[in-house]
């Protein structure tokens, strides 16, 4: 058991080191984005919502086709991948890279690796469910996809994408400040109250 844990830890460290090497040119930008997404200042949340709203208003105004939108998005990614490693050291100053920043960059890369592992784990569990319980897999997929299709039919695609993107960008800050855990705790307490009331009525 200990050998398995050590092997997993070593593999995680190796994957994290590899990711750090790949994203080294993006270090300054990732630290800046990390500060914004974790709401280190009070005005960051409205700034995030304002920028996202502006971007989606531009998309709504231009109304590009799917092919044009995907092409422009990939083009911007390619430009960023080329320009950011060149411009970031000149803007932020690579000589200002401190031990604290390096540690935070390591934590960010480690969290990204763990998130990727969780996604792969859920994907593997889905295929395991398909092999072991095909009927449950079939029903779960059909119901889930039907629900998503119904939501997509009721809500405008662009507005739905706007809500999803906004929520995902606000999620790190919500977690950092304990807002999600707070409301989850409140929901659990309410559910427990309802269950206790139901038990008393049954008695």
């Amino acid at each position: 058991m200990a050998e398995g844990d050590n092997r997993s830890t070593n593999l995680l460290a190796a994957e994290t080191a590899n990711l750090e090497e790949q994203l080294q040119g993006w270090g300054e930008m990732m630290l800046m984005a990390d500060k914004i997404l974790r709401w280190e200042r009070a005005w960051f949340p409205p700034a995030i919502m304002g920028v996202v709203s502006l971007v989606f208003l531009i998309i709504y105004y231009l109304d590009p086709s799917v092919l044009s939108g995907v092409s422009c998005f990939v083009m911007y990614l390619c430009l960023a991948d080329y320009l950011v490693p060149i411009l970031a050291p000149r803007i932020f100053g690579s000589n200002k890279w401190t031990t604290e920043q390096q540690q935070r960059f390591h934590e960010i890369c480690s969290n990204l690796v763990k998130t990727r592992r969780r996604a792969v784990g859920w994907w593997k569990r889905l295929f395991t469910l398909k092999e072991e319980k095909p009927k449950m897999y079939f029903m779960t997929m059909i119901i889930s996809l039907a629900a998503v299709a119904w939501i997509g039919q009721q809500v405008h695609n662009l507005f739905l994408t706007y809500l999803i993107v906004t929520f995902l960008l606000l999620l790190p800050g919500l977690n950092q400040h304990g807002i999600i855990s707070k409301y989850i705790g409140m929901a659990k307490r309410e559910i427990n109250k309802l269950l206790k009331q139901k038990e008393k009525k049954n008695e």
Side-chain angles (χ1 to χ4, degrees):
M1 188 72 172
E3 291 182 3
D5 292 339
N6 289 334
R7 190 181 300 111
S8 178
T9 303
N10 293 335
L11 184 59
L12 176 63
E15 291 180 7
T16 301
N18 184 41
L19 186 61
E20 284 183 32
E21 185 179 352
Q22 293 176 3
L23 297 177
Q24 195 63 46
W26 284 77
E28 292 86 356
M29 290 296 297
M30 290 178 65
L31 289 175
M32 179 64 69
D34 177 65
K35 291 179 180 179
I36 295 172
L37 293 177
R38 289 190 297 117
W39 304 357
E40 288 198 355
R41 296 188 180 180
W43 57 271
F44 282 161
I48 292 172
M49 296 184 67
V51 171
V52 174
S53 300
L54 178 62
V55 170
F56 275 86
L57 281 173
I58 293 172
I59 295 173
Y60 177 76
Y61 176 76
L62 296 177
D63 193 22
S65 64
V66 175
L67 185 59
S68 298
V70 172
S71 298
C72 290
F73 179 72
V74 175
M75 180 181 65
Y76 290 138
L77 286 180
C78 291
L79 284 172
D81 186 48
Y82 176 74
L83 293 175
V84 167
I86 297 173
L87 298 178
R90 299 179 182 179
I91 296 173
F92 297 99
S94 57
N95 57 335
K96 297 179 182 179
W97 192 261
T98 62
T99 305
E100 183 180 353
Q101 289 175 317
Q102 182 62 41
Q103 179 62 29
R104 184 57 196 163
F105 179 63
H106 174 76
E107 292 174 2
I108 294 171
C109 291
S110 179
N111 290 333
L112 289 174
V113 171
K114 290 175 183 177
T115 302
R116 182 175 63 187
R117 282 188 165 194
R118 290 193 196 100
V120 173
W122 279 106
W123 188 256
K124 288 181 178 178
R125 287 191 192 98
L126 191 63
F127 279 93
T128 302
L129 180 65
K130 179 182 178 182
E131 293 175 359
E132 296 178 354
K133 299 178 180 179
K135 291 182 180 179
M136 182 180 291
Y137 166 82
F138 175 76
M139 292 300 297
T140 303
M141 292 300 295
I142 292 298
I143 293 172
S144 301
L145 293 173
V148 172
W150 180 81
I151 293 172
Q153 189 66 26
Q154 300 302 315
V155 184
H156 191 278
N157 289 336
L158 189 61
F159 181 65
L160 186 61
T161 306
Y162 166 75
L163 293 178
I164 293 172
V165 171
T166 303
F167 174 75
L168 290 177
L169 291 177
L170 293 176
L171 185 59
L174 293 171
N175 280 327
Q176 179 71 18
H177 293 268
I179 297 173
I180 290 180
S181 58
K182 174 185 174 182
Y183 283 101
I184 289 177
M186 291 172 60
K188 287 181 178 178
R189 287 193 294 270
E190 292 298 324
I191 292 171
N192 289 333
K193 286 181 183 178
L194 292 174
L195 291 175
K196 288 179 180 178
Q197 290 176 0
K198 188 175 181 181
E199 287 177 359
K200 289 180 180 178
K201 288 181 181 179
N202 292 334
E203 290 176 358

